[in-house]
Amino acid sequence: MELKEKVVLITGGARGIGKAIAACLAKRGANLVIADISYESAAETARELAATGIRTLPLKLDVSKADEVAAAFGEIMKEFGKIDVLINNAGITRDGLLLRMKDEDWDAVMNINLKGVFLCSKEAMKLMVKQKSGRIINIASVVAFMGNPGQANYSASKAGIVGLTKTIAREYASRGITVNAVAPGFIATAMTDALAENVKQEMLKSIPVGKFGSVDDVATAVAFFASPDSSYITGQVIHVNGGMYM
Ligand code: NDP
């Protein structure tokens, strides 16, 4: 129960990797804020996790909207009076080759995947600086390092997250706050289920361990960054990709 009494906010926490992270941290005793674009899904996940005996707070939050982000942190302070860990997990894809990519698909991905991390980190940091402690954990992607045809917007947003992680880590290391990222490879979720079967088979060939990752593989790496065991680690990226990128 190494995270007992800790307050953790997970964006996009209602399903997929975010939900797995929530379940993993619930087992370690953390109280959880499940924030998602759909309040109903956030509430359902929060209800499920509350059954494990932890406190939960579901929130409707679009991470790309500054007013919603500020309001969410207001709610968290009202309910818990502090924020120990922020996990910037919310993310979307709007794939297409560069010449066919619509401006709105570029903007949507950058606004949610990258600006969302900026907005949430800034609000969290205001509180963490006062607390003189905190953890921010950002979910990047292997494509930030390798690129991926059809994902100019997504890979740029995820590479941006890596730069943002390192910069914020440097800015606030002296305040007792660590900022790290986890870069998943190909993880079986709704996001990747949507890919065509031939694309999935091609991806599989590029993974040395010979299988796709699970949401729990990502969740345990996040749990490490949230735990006291990683207190001397900041500005780093853990790659969870079965050897796809080394
Ligand atoms: P999912 O699509 O399964 O889940 C993402 C969650 O975020 C959903 O609940 C979604 O809500 C929510 N969401 C979408 N837009 C917003 C928003 N603007 N504000 C708040 N919440 C939002 O994705 P994954 O679990 O697969 O991915 C989670 C993270 O991991 C993402 O950042 C993704 O880029 C990253 N990742 C995933 C990989 C994979 O293989 N799956 C690989 C590498 C990185 P709704 O469903 O209602 O839209």
Side-chain angles (χ1 to χ4, degrees), residues 68-91:
E68 290 193 22
V69 173
F73 279 90
E75 288 292 309
I76 294 167
M77 289 309 278
K78 221 188 299 163
E79 180 74 17
F80 294 107
K82 65 169 184 168
I83 175 82
D84 295 298
V85 183
L86 163 65
I87 300 166
N88 283 308
N89 165 78

Side-chain angles (χ1 to χ4, degrees), residues 6 10 31 43 55 81 86 88 90 92 99 105 108 127 139 147 168 201 245:
K6 298 286 183 197
I10 307 167
N31 294 321
R55 285 172 69 193
L86 163 65
N88 283 308
I92 61 162
L99 291 178
D105 291 335
L127 304 168
I139 307 302
I168 306 177
Q201 288 311 316
Y245 170 83

Side-chain angles (χ1 to χ4, degrees), residues 59-153:
L59 290 179
K60 193 265 174 227
L61 172 64
D62 179 342
V63 293
S64 66
K65 303 214 165 102
D67 55 339
E68 290 193 22
V69 173
F73 279 90
E75 288 292 309
I76 294 167
M77 289 309 278
K78 221 188 299 163
E79 180 74 17
F80 294 107
K82 65 169 184 168
I83 175 82
D84 295 298
V85 183
L86 163 65
I87 300 166
N88 283 308
N89 165 78
I92 61 162
T93 51
R94 292 282 185 277
D95 295 353
L97 295 172
L98 181 69
L99 291 178
R100 290 191 205 140
M101 188 171 281
K102 297 194 187 93
D103 290 6
E104 56 262 36
D105 291 335
W106 173 270
D107 290 342
V109 168
M110 295 307 276
N111 283 337
I112 293 172
N113 295 14
L114 185 55
K115 189 177 178 195
V117 176
F118 161 70
L119 292 173
C120 292
S121 300
K122 195 166 150 185
E123 284 303 318
M125 199 59 89
K126 288 180 193 167
L127 304 168
M128 289 176 176
V129 162
K130 282 193 202 139
Q131 294 168 185
K132 297 191 176 62
S133 70
R135 302 280 171 95
I136 297 180
I137 304 158
N138 298 324
I139 307 302
S141 167
V142 69
V143 304
F145 300 87
M146 298 177 68
N148 196 25
Q151 292 198 310
N153 49 2

Side-chain angles (χ1 to χ4, degrees), residues 2 26 38 54 57-58 62 64 72 79 132 146 154 164 169 171 181 193 200 209 223:
E2 63 198 9
S38 147
I54 59 158
L57 171 68
D62 179 342
S64 66
E79 180 74 17
K132 297 191 176 62
M146 298 177 68
Y154 183 79
L164 185 57
E171 287 181 359
D193 277 353
K200 285 193 218 172
V209 304

Side-chain angles (χ1 to χ4, degrees), residues 17 139-142 145 181-187 207 209 211-222 225 237-245:
I17 291 173
I139 307 302
S141 167
V142 69
F145 300 87
V182 172
F186 194 110
I187 307 298
I207 304 173
V209 304
K211 59 177 184 182
F212 300 137
S214 74
V215 290
D216 295 332
D217 293 325
V218 180
T220 48
V222 172
F225 276 143
V237 181
I238 294 185
H239 292 269
V240 181
N241 61 31
M244 196 175 168
Y245 170 83

Side-chain angles (χ1 to χ4, degrees), residues 14-70:
R15 65 189 184 96
I17 291 173
K19 184 177 181 183
I21 294 169
C24 182
L25 300 187
K27 275 195 213 141
R28 288 156 170 81
N31 294 321
L32 300 173
V33 182
I34 306 296
D36 210 282
I37 196 150
S38 147
Y39 178 77
E40 288 69 30
S41 333
E44 197 181 317
T45 298
R47 244 192 326 271
E48 266 176 49
L49 294 167
T52 65
I54 59 158
R55 285 172 69 193
T56 60
L57 171 68
L59 290 179
K60 193 265 174 227
L61 172 64
D62 179 342
V63 293
S64 66
K65 303 214 165 102
D67 55 339
E68 290 193 22
V69 173

